[in-house]
Amino acid sequence: MQDIRTVNGPLAPAAVRGPALAHEHLALDLRRGTDRAAVLDNRHADAVAGELAALREESGLSLLIELSCRGMGRDVAALTRISKDSGVPVVAATGWYYEPFHPAEVGDACVEELTGMLLREITEGIGPEGILPGVIGEVGSHGDRPSEPEVRALKAAARAAVATGLSVATHAQLGRGGPAQLALLTAEGLPPHRICIGHQDLLDDSGVHRELAGRGAYVAFDTVGKEHYQSDAARLRLLLELVAAGHADRVLLSGDISRHGYLRDEGGQGYGHLFRSFLPRLRAAGVDDGLIDLMTRRNPIRFLTGAHPEEAV
């Protein structure tokens, strides 16, 4: 099984002894228009590192996948510092978010040009620090079908993934468009077990969740705690339906902290909401610790490394 690429070097999968957060942001800038709060920057780095260090002690947090990519205010130097300060390994990303946040470089660039940009980051590293990304994501679309620029970005992500062995995590705005994303990515030759379809806990449609999982993709319930989008009660119901259908091995869980107001010291749910609130409710509903470990540790490792469900982790 291949090593996991983290901002502080390769990490053996066997070293991940505790749970992972599969979709988070530690440093980003999505401010636009009247929304000036969608930011996590150096002012918040100490609070972020403190939360992660506490979770490492309380819950055994052993890995975090950070999905801020090109055009999202990605800051790999900040990720490196936060990882060192917290003691939690962090995976950095490359790719493009959904169209409203595409940087000018996407423009009219063809798929081959976009693929080349990703390959350079994957092989040479990000920025002057030369940090190697360990995942492609969160590559985005909005609506039931990707827009033309989103199609190019998704195709480039798939081709770069096929060429390098990285996996692809998507942003499906409000949970919509997952089947179209999966069809597009697999049409480029990317196996479904190298794909995670994002934000499915925002889509109240268990049939779509079963379809994605049945085709072999990972299904992300990755906005846990964002009650203004969807209640955790609804998330719990949808997750239990997916588990009952036999697809626990296709689930990834996280909270998608994406603005400073979500931090605990600002009164938000923080990075630990999954562990402190949601998983206890999942256990109370009858999900045992083996399945919890599957969804929070073994599945993220398999997603990042490309291991199949039957491979031991």
Side-chain angles (χ1 to χ4, degrees), residues 294-309:
L294 175 65
M295 292 185 283
T296 62
R297 185 184 67 86
R298 286 178 281 164
N299 286 350
I301 292 172
R302 288 173 176 142
F303 166 65
L304 288 172
T305 63
H308 290 278

Side-chain angles (χ1 to χ4, degrees), residues 5-311:
R5 288 177 162 201
T6 79
V7 295
N8 288 308
L11 178 70
V16 182
R17 305 275 182 155
L21 287 169
H23 182 145
E24 296 296 344
H25 301 280
L26 308 180
L28 89 168
D29 189 342
L30 295 178
R31 290 175 290 185
R32 61 173 184 155
T34 59
D35 184 1
R36 311 303 295 168
V39 61
L40 288 163
D41 59 22
N42 287 332
R43 295 169 295 174
H44 313 110
D46 287 345
V48 170
E51 284 202 33
L52 300 188
L55 289 174
R56 180 172 57 82
E57 293 298 321
E58 293 172 21
S59 305
L61 180 64
S62 297
L63 184 67
L64 183 145
I65 303 174
E66 214 278 2
L67 290 179
S68 303
C69 55
R70 300 170 72 101
M72 295 180 74
R74 180 185 60 183
D75 185 344
V76 293
L79 301 189
T80 303
R81 292 194 302 271
I82 290 168
S83 179
K84 287 180 177 177
D85 290 347
S86 67
V88 176
V90 172
V91 175
T94 188
W96 291 278
Y97 197 31
Y98 72 114
E99 185 181 0
F101 294 93
H102 280 180
E105 66 194 17
V106 175
D108 295 325
C110 67
V111 175
E112 289 75 16
E113 290 169 326
L114 295 175
T115 304
M117 293 181 202
L118 298 183
L119 290 176
R120 281 190 291 276
E121 283 203 334
I122 294 168
T123 57
E124 300 173 14
I126 301 167
E129 300 85 2
I131 299 298
L132 296 175
V135 67
I136 301 172
E138 57 180 298
V139 184
S141 70
H142 63 301
D144 291 328
R145 303 201 67 80
S147 68
E148 188 276 332
E150 290 167 348
V151 167
R152 284 186 279 119
L154 284 159
K155 285 186 175 182
R159 293 182 188 184
V162 170
T164 62
L166 294 189
S167 295
V168 173
T170 78
H171 167 90
Q173 180 73 357
L174 299 178
R176 294 174 56 195
Q181 289 182 342
L182 183 58
L184 191 157
L185 293 167
T186 54
E188 295 296 322
L190 187 61
H193 72 280
R194 300 309 305 253
I195 300 165
C196 173
I197 303 298
H199 308 324
Q200 290 308 290
D201 54 334
L202 300 180
L203 183 71
D204 197 343
D205 190 336
S206 57
V208 169
H209 301 157
R210 289 194 301 272
E211 174 191 348
L212 296 171
R215 293 177 61 188
Y218 286 95
V219 179
F221 278 54
D222 54 9
T223 65
V224 175
K226 290 187 172 182
E227 295 267 353
H228 57 293
Y229 286 108
Q230 174 86 286
S231 71
D232 275 359
R235 288 186 178 91
L236 182 64
R237 169 177 52 82
L238 291 166
L239 181 55
L240 290 171
E241 289 174 0
L242 191 57
V243 170
H247 295 304
D249 63 349
R250 298 289 92 189
V251 172
L252 295 178
L253 300 173
S254 209
D256 190 21
I257 298 300
S258 54
R259 55 181 60 222
H260 61 83
Y262 291 139
L263 298 177
R264 290 193 91 193
D265 71 351
E266 297 194 21
Q269 69 269 33
Y271 294 96
H273 178 84
L274 175 72
F275 305 113
R276 298 184 180 116
S277 177
F278 193 75
L279 292 184
R281 293 173 70 178
L282 198 58
R283 289 187 176 96
V287 177
D288 64 32
D289 285 344
L291 285 181
I292 298 289
D293 179 71
L294 175 65
M295 292 185 283
T296 62
R297 185 184 67 86
R298 286 178 281 164
N299 286 350
I301 292 172
R302 288 173 176 142
F303 166 65
L304 288 172
T305 63
H308 290 278
E310 64 272 10
E311 294 184 55

